Every structure is written in C-alpha cells, then in structure tokens.
Amino acid sequence: MEKTFVDRGRFRIRQPLLVLRYVVATIGLFSVCAITVREIEGDFRYIIQAALWLCLGFFMVEWILEIFKSAKGGWKTLYSRPAIIYAVAVVPVPLAYAIGVSASNAWLLGSFWLFKFLPTTVSTIPQLTRVISKQAKPLASVLLIYVIILFLTCVGIYIFERNIQPAAFENLPATIWWGFSASTSGIGDVAPHTFWGHVLAMIVMISGIGLFGLWMGILANGLMEESRRHEFIQVWDLVVKIPFLKSIGATGIAEIARMLRRLDLPEMTTVIRSGSIGDCMYFVASGEVQIDLHPEPVRLGAGSFFGEMALLGDYVRSATVVTSRPTTLLILDAADFRSFAANHPEFSRSIEDEALQRKQ
Ligand code: CMP
C-alpha cells in the first residue's frame, strides 16, 4: 500500500509504547503527590497504592526486558543510557522498603519516575552539555556582571535600609540573599522602604531579568549553531557520496551542503505527485525511487537526482515519484537551486542536459 510523507513506518511500533510509558509515569507521579495529601490519601488509599504498585511493576517489566535485550547485545549495554534510566526508575523504591524506610517516604522516591520522560535515544542532553561547555565564557561573563551589580546594589540597600528595617536587612549576607531572591524568583515579603532602597531594588531586579535573558539568548544561539553544524556534517557525509555533486569541487560542495536538507523515507512513499506544483528538487543519497512513466517505469538509485524538470520549466511536476526502498533524499529548494545554479554554470548545464534527455 502506498504511504504518504507523514506515515513514517519506523514510528509505528515505538510510538504507542512511548505514549504508554509517559501515561504510566504521569499516573505514577500523580499518585506520589496524592499520598502526601492527607484528605486524598484518606479517601483513596487503596486506589493510590494500587496505582503506585502497578506503575512500579510496569517499569520493572520494562527493565527486565531491557536486561534481556542487553544480554543479547553484550553486558556492556547494561551501562548504556536507556539501561541506566530504567534502573534509576525501578531501584530506589524497593531499596528504600528493603532498608526499612516507611512506606510514605519510600514512595516519595517514585519521583525518580520523572526520568522516564528523558529521551533514551535522542542526543539532546550531550548536545546541551556541549553547548554549555562551548559557551562557558560568555555565560560566566554574564554571571560575573550580575554578581558585581548584585553585590554593589546590596551594599547600597544595606546602607539605606539597615536602620529602618534592622530585622530584614540585618547584615550584608542577609541583604545579598534578599537581593538574590528578589532578582531571580521574587520570593520573600520584604521590600525596601527608602527612596534609594527602591531605586537600588529596581536595579537588582532588572539585573536578574538581564541575567536570564542573556543566558537564554546565548544558549538558544549555541543550540541553533550546534544543530546546524550537526545537520551540515550529516548532509556533507551524504553529499560526498553523490558523484554528480563531486564534480562541483570542494567549495561548491561546502556551499550546497548548507542548502540541502535530509529526508529519510520508508519504501512506497510518494515523494512527488504528477501535476502538482514543485518547489524543490531531490538527490538520492541512498535507496531507490521509481518514476511512474508509461509504458515502463524508470528506477533511479543512489547518486541520481529528480524533480529538476519542474524547476526548469513551469513548476508543474511531469510524473509521480515513489520510493521503492527505504530511501534517503537531499532536498534543494527552488530558491537555493536558482542561486547555486547562477554561481555554478557547470552544475546548471549538467542538470539542464539531463532534463532535456529525459524529456525525449
Ligand atoms: P519533475 O517534473 O519536477 O517531477 C517528476 C520527475 O521525474 C521529473 O521532474 C524528473 O526528474 C523525473 N523524470 C521525468 N521523466 C523522466 C525520465 N524519462 N527519466 C528519469 N527521470 C524522469
């Protein structure tokens, strides 16, 4: 049966399992909260206990299955990231029971079920760690500026407020603690009473907002750069495998690798529909596609390209193209195609020649 873009085969089995895991973890965490609320715990004790044991049982079964899987792949995989996440979710509660911790306290360790929400395969956390370590200098500089402003303004607040509110601004450390909480979470019911106290408190609060704003900006920028770099490396690896692109030279490859987007598709997925409007062309990095032509369909394998005719003509697709195997494509948008072709006449000539041949 023909599939469409969104029908990605590889998600089909993993997705319901993932959803079930999230549902169980959510029920478990709600139950952990519920046992600490006396009114709820009193009325629904048995339901909550049953939910907690069921969640623990579910995670235990998941862990045991993971251990069996690991045994096949070698015991080293027991120390893998998913295996550690499974263990951290299961071990603490029974361990607490075993060493004699009271049931109400032992179940609080069910909070570790939060780790079930961590992705086991996606490399988001190493990526974030890399960004933090790369951006350590700007992050630290912003923190240093914040600390300087906080310290100096708190000295001022202490001078102006200590006689009016001796209990609240008793000494400099207490004033700095107040300044820190006011500039970050805003907790506390203490506020300066003098004019200059108010002015300095304003500076403290703005510096806190500035700290977080700048940190977010630095991290967001770093994450974007990191994912762009990651995608570039992935695309580069695929681009160098396409003989046609090799002919445009190293600088050309570097230029086009920035423009291309990777698309992984399962077999029997329609990539192009005849008669539709086309705004990109494709390079086959691996796998195979079938062009539905009459009387004989044509198959294009790794290294070839398609979808160029629409870009060279009236943007209307001339044939339907379907993947005949799991396929990795590289997409070049029409605008990028135009600017790249303008800078690399040999590239546009080769594509035009091929399109002319295909039309015959
Ligand atoms: P386009 O018309 O944009 O979309 C369908 C694509 O099928 C077309 O571009 C070509 O890339 C490809 N195609 C059409 N005819 C042939 C052919 N005879 N041989 C190989 N590919 C073709």
Side-chain angles (χ1 to χ4, degrees):
M1 203 183 79
E2 199 180 274
K3 298 172 198 138
T4 59
F5 270 36
V6 276
D7 185 9
R8 304 273 182 96
R10 64 201 158 108
F11 287 135
R12 243 179 278 152
I13 304 169
R14 288 185 52 202
Q15 201 81 322
L17 264 180
L18 207 68
V19 171
L20 182 63
R21 179 186 302 158
Y22 288 167
V23 169
V24 172
T26 309
I27 294 173
L29 290 165
F30 266 111
S31 307
V32 168
C33 295
I35 51 163
T36 65
V37 183
R38 202 167 296 139
E39 296 79 11
I40 303 179
E41 208 265 345
D43 292 348
F44 302 99
R45 175 171 305 165
Y46 295 113
I47 296 176
I48 295 171
Q49 290 283 339
L52 288 168
W53 282 111
L54 277 174
C55 292
L56 185 64
F58 178 87
F59 295 141
M60 204 167 265
V61 170
E62 262 200 328
W63 190 35
I64 291 167
L65 290 177
E66 181 63 23
I67 290 175
F68 276 115
K69 229 168 69 190
S70 303
K72 269 191 230 156
W75 290 102
K76 253 194 216 161
T77 43
L78 264 184
Y79 306 111
S80 66
R81 186 186 159 79
I84 290 172
I85 291 179
Y86 286 118
V88 164
V90 171
V91 175
V93 177
L95 192 69
Y97 260 109
I99 59 171
V101 174
S102 69
S104 56
N105 281 338
W107 282 116
L108 288 180
L109 296 175
S111 328
F112 284 101
W113 295 339
L114 269 173
F115 286 106
K116 283 286 174 184
F117 290 100
L118 281 182
T120 50
T121 50
V122 184
S123 59
T124 337
I125 292 176
Q127 202 176 344
L128 189 63
T129 326
R130 222 174 13 247
V131 170
I132 292 174
S133 72
K134 261 190 182 173
Q135 304 292 340
K137 266 191 188 166
L139 290 172
S141 315
V142 172
L143 180 66
L144 187 69
I145 294 169
Y146 164 76
V147 170
I148 293 171
I149 295 174
L150 178 74
F151 199 97
L152 292 179
T153 43
C154 283
V155 170
I157 292 174
Y158 174 63
I159 293 169
F160 290 113
E161 297 288 328
R162 67 181 156 185
N163 295 329
I164 297 166
Q165 299 187 76
F169 300 100
E170 186 185 356
N171 49 41
L172 193 53
T175 311
I176 291 175
W177 167 248
W178 172 85
F180 175 71
S181 58
S183 63
T184 50
S185 59
I187 53 162
D189 47 9
V190 174
H193 286 172
T194 62
F195 171 76
W196 288 112
H198 281 149
V199 171
L200 292 170
M202 230 161 62
I203 296 172
V204 167
M205 284 182 255
I206 290 171
S207 69
I209 296 168
L211 169 79
F212 288 116
L214 286 171
W215 269 7
M216 287 310 108
I218 292 167
L219 287 179
N221 208 22
L223 274 171
M224 234 161 75
E225 248 175 47
E226 184 66 21
S227 73
R228 235 185 266 140
R229 196 184 62 93
H230 183 70
E231 206 179 305
F232 178 77
I233 292 169
Q234 272 195 337
V235 170
W236 177 277
D237 284 346
L238 296 172
V239 165
V240 289
K241 284 186 201 147
I242 298 175
F244 172 76
L245 292 177
K246 265 190 200 164
S247 62
I248 56 178
T251 38
I253 290 181
E255 199 183 324
I256 205 168
R258 274 192 195 90
M259 298 172 169
L260 293 167
R261 278 178 292 123
R262 180 191 172 132
L263 179 66
D264 294 301
L265 295 172
E267 64 180 312
M268 299 302 287
T269 304
T270 305
V271 186
I272 284 178
R273 224 174 269 281
S274 173
S276 64
I277 300 297
D279 58 0
C280 61
M281 67 171 289
Y282 303 83
F283 295 92
V284 184
S286 68
E288 191 184 67
V289 295
Q290 178 174 302
I291 321 282
D292 287 339
L293 297 172
H294 297 286
E296 272 296 299
V298 172
R299 286 178 182 246
L300 298 178
S304 50
F305 61 83
F306 61 93
E308 79 294 350
M309 284 185 177
L311 303 192
L312 295 170
D314 53 4
Y315 287 91
V316 178
R317 296 296 193 191
S318 60
T320 293
V321 183
V322 179
T323 56
S324 41
R325 282 197 232 145
T327 300
T328 299
L329 298 173
L330 292 171
I331 307 174
L332 182 64
D333 286 327
D336 290 331
F337 170 76
R338 301 243 168 281
S339 75
F340 190 77
N343 293 334
H344 298 268
E346 73 291 5
F347 167 85
S348 75
R349 215 171 304 120
S350 314
I351 298 235
E352 276 166 18
D353 289 350
E354 183 67 31
L356 269 178
Q357 263 187 22
R358 287 175 177 179
K359 264 187 196 162
Q360 285 160 10

